[in-house]
Amino acid sequence: MTPHPSPTTALSEELGPASPARVLVLNSGSSSVKYQLLDMRDDSRLAQGLVERIGEETSRLVHTPLQGGGGEKREKNGPIADHAAALKAVAEELAADGLGLDSPELAAIGHRVVHGGLRFTEPTVVDDEVLAEIERLVPVAPLHNPANLTGIRTAMTLRPDLPQVAVFDTAFHTTMPESAARYAIDVETADAYRIRRYGFHGTSHAYVSRETARLLGKAPEEVNVIVLHLGNGASASAVRGGRCVDTSMGLTPLEGLVMGTRSGDIDPAVTFHLKRVAGMSADDIDVLLNKRSGLVGLCGDNDMREIRRRIDEGDERAALAFDIYIHRLKKYIGAYYAVLGRVDAVAFTAGVGENAAPVREAAITGLEELGLAVDADLNAVRSDEARLISPDYARVAVAVVPTDEELEIARQAFALVSGEAPGVGAGETLGETLGEVNA
């Protein structure tokens, strides 16, 4: 099968040598900044790095030049006071490689923003109105949106003339029908407090579903895919013809699959029980379900490699944790098979999905009646390339597709500023967001 070209290939062929075609991708966390500089003519990486422990005496910057075959990794240790100082340090490292932020080849800076609510369904050029709306969404993403905002504002001060493009984790999931996105609670209450299923990991699901179609030699519009993003955080999605129709995470990233430290699906009455019987506060329960549950709550480890090692040594708690993890995963595969009606592929991605062959094997074993099977030899291969691990006779392809959220953000940002894809320009809106968040 001949893979379809990447979304930027045709556009890249039209660009002249002097056209700005580089995108700097920033992923700003509360105390870290991850970054990559990409050339969108060929999707190549020119540099990448990480600043961590921002605001501490032990701050660390690791920078790796990649153009022309790459260079030596550089590391700097010492206090970096805030995100502004972190981005200035990043700019200095890029400039040392001839890739400074003042380069006329830089077309845009793309920013990962975790929560865009219902308003932002496409990549968006940032202006004051967009910043205000992202800030308004802080109550539904208190750990992520503030850090994302800090990164955007800092980048705007460094290059106020350059388009800053926000790419939202939730955007890919806004195509879900109301039957999938709505919770069965009082409508007025849900609307007043924005309670609905938003989904997360959207840039990964978008990228992997499209790359899976390419692997099959088809256009995304022709393919139905179940995407399994399995990392410390984990989510599943049902993608019909390139559009998400269901996803496992909900109002927050807590819902859905068993994760490293999160419980995933749970009877809501468990929270009432813990409050009434155990005397736990809302904050106590929040910490329990988000940080002390999932694999770490079941067996004390959230590293799948360590769990598998313990299983091999006969550890029953580790074995039970693994079985619970797989049981939940199989339930979602079956559920999304039913939602889609026809499935062309199941795609595993992210740290566990890409590297844990026993997880892939266990998740598919027993689903042969659904046309799913894994070839043991293909599954055992370690590779950074997208690949099929199902036997030729399988009716449904099973794939391992390494995710690339930075490339997806760069592609979306570049397509927007180049005028080659729909998006939300500065000052434009996409309609009203549901309800208001009470002060």
Side-chain angles (χ1 to χ4, degrees):
M1 290 176 284
T2 302
H4 278 238
S6 73
T8 53
T9 299
L11 177 59
S12 299
E13 291 173 352
E14 297 174 7
L15 291 170
S19 301
R22 293 177 181 173
V23 175
L24 176 64
V25 175
L26 296 177
N27 182 351
S28 299
S30 57
S31 61
S32 67
V33 175
K34 295 178 184 177
Y35 63 93
Q36 288 193 14
L37 180 65
L38 298 97
D39 189 324
M40 305 316 298
R41 290 184 179 86
D42 56 5
D43 290 347
S44 62
R45 284 166 177 75
L46 304 177
Q48 65 184 25
L50 166 69
V51 187
E52 57 186 351
R53 298 193 290 272
I54 295 172
E56 301 179 20
E57 291 297 313
T58 57
S59 304
R60 175 173 172 259
L61 186 156
V62 179
H63 175 86
T64 305
L66 300 170
Q67 64 175 342
E72 271 193 41
K73 182 183 294 185
R74 303 195 294 267
E75 181 173 332
K76 292 185 177 180
N77 296 278
I80 296 176
D82 51 30
H83 282 71
L87 282 185
K88 287 176 182 175
V90 169
E92 290 174 2
E93 293 300 320
L94 291 170
D97 299 322
L99 303 169
L101 295 191
D102 58 350
S103 170
E105 296 187 61
L106 196 59
I109 298 179
H111 300 267
R112 178 191 181 221
V113 179
V114 167
H115 214 309
L118 292 181
R119 178 170 176 178
F120 299 114
T121 65
E122 301 284 353
T124 306
V125 176
V126 177
D127 64 1
D128 289 341
E129 183 184 348
V130 171
L131 285 172
E133 179 61 18
I134 295 172
E135 191 147 25
R136 257 186 9 115
L137 289 163
V138 165
V140 289
L143 298 179
H144 298 95
N145 274 29
N148 303 154
L149 279 166
T150 299
I152 295 172
R153 287 176 172 139
T154 303
M156 291 175 81
T157 63
L158 291 175
R159 279 298 304 268
D161 60 313
L162 199 67
Q164 309 285 333
V165 179
V167 178
F168 298 89
D169 272 11
T170 50
F172 183 65
H173 304 304
T174 58
T175 56
M176 283 191 295
E178 286 293 277
S179 56
R182 285 273 185 179
Y183 290 112
I185 66 172
D186 173 68
V187 171
E188 286 74 22
T189 301
D191 287 355
Y193 296 97
R194 304 185 185 187
I195 300 172
R196 62 184 289 119
R197 301 181 64 247
Y198 293 100
F200 300 89
H201 295 147
T203 51
S204 177
H205 286 278
Y207 177 84
V208 170
S209 61
R210 188 165 52 245
E211 291 300 305
T212 301
R214 290 184 65 218
L215 187 62
L216 298 179
K218 297 181 179 181
E221 296 77 17
E222 302 173 318
V223 175
N224 291 353
V225 185
I226 297 172
V227 178
L228 304 172
H229 177 108
L230 307 179
N232 192 50
S235 59
S237 67
V239 183
R240 177 184 292 126
R243 295 167 62 86
C244 177
V245 295
D246 206 349
T247 193
S248 58
M249 286 179 167
L251 174 71
T252 76
L254 179 60
E255 187 180 358
L257 302 174
V258 175
M259 305 177 219
T261 65
R262 299 181 190 128
S263 66
D265 292 338
I266 193 169
D267 182 348
V270 169
T271 60
F272 315 145
H273 180 78
L274 290 172
K275 180 176 174 58
R276 293 169 182 153
V277 177
M280 295 177 69
S281 68
D283 287 344
D284 293 336
I285 297 169
D286 190 324
V287 170
L288 171 68
L289 297 181
N290 278 290
K291 297 182 179 179
R292 292 171 43 217
S293 295
L295 292 171
V296 78
L298 289 167
C299 70
D301 272 311
N302 62 338
D303 187 321
M304 188 59 71
R305 293 165 297 187
E306 181 63 14
I307 290 171
R308 291 301 309 177
R309 185 193 64 77
R310 289 171 55 185
I311 291 172
D312 291 342
E313 294 178 354
D315 189 309
E316 293 184 1
R317 281 188 64 190
L320 178 59
F322 184 81
D323 289 346
I324 293 170
Y325 182 95
I326 295 298
H327 179 77
R328 185 81 55 83
L329 190 53
K330 280 190 175 182
K331 282 176 66 175
Y332 269 91
I333 293 172
Y336 286 171
Y337 204 119
V339 166
L340 290 169
R342 187 199 84 240
V343 176
D344 298 292
V346 174
F348 289 87
T349 193
V352 174
E354 294 170 27
N355 298 300
V359 168
R360 298 191 297 259
E361 179 183 8
I364 299 300
T365 298
L367 302 181
E368 289 79 11
E369 290 296 319
L370 297 179
L372 289 158
V374 165
D375 181 288
D377 292 335
L378 294 176
N379 190 38
V381 173
R382 297 294 295 267
S383 172
D384 294 330
E385 300 296 321
R387 61 201 185 275
L388 296 178
I389 60 171
S390 48
D392 291 339
Y393 65 78
R395 191 168 72 250
V396 178
V398 180
V400 180
V401 180
T403 191
D404 197 332
E405 294 174 86
E406 289 79 12
L407 177 56
E408 179 67 19
I409 291 169
R411 283 176 173 174
Q412 291 192 29
F414 185 62
L416 176 58
V417 299
S418 302
E420 295 294 323
V424 184
E428 296 179 49
T429 64
L430 282 171
E432 295 302 316
T433 309
L434 279 178
E436 296 291 332
V437 177
N438 285 8

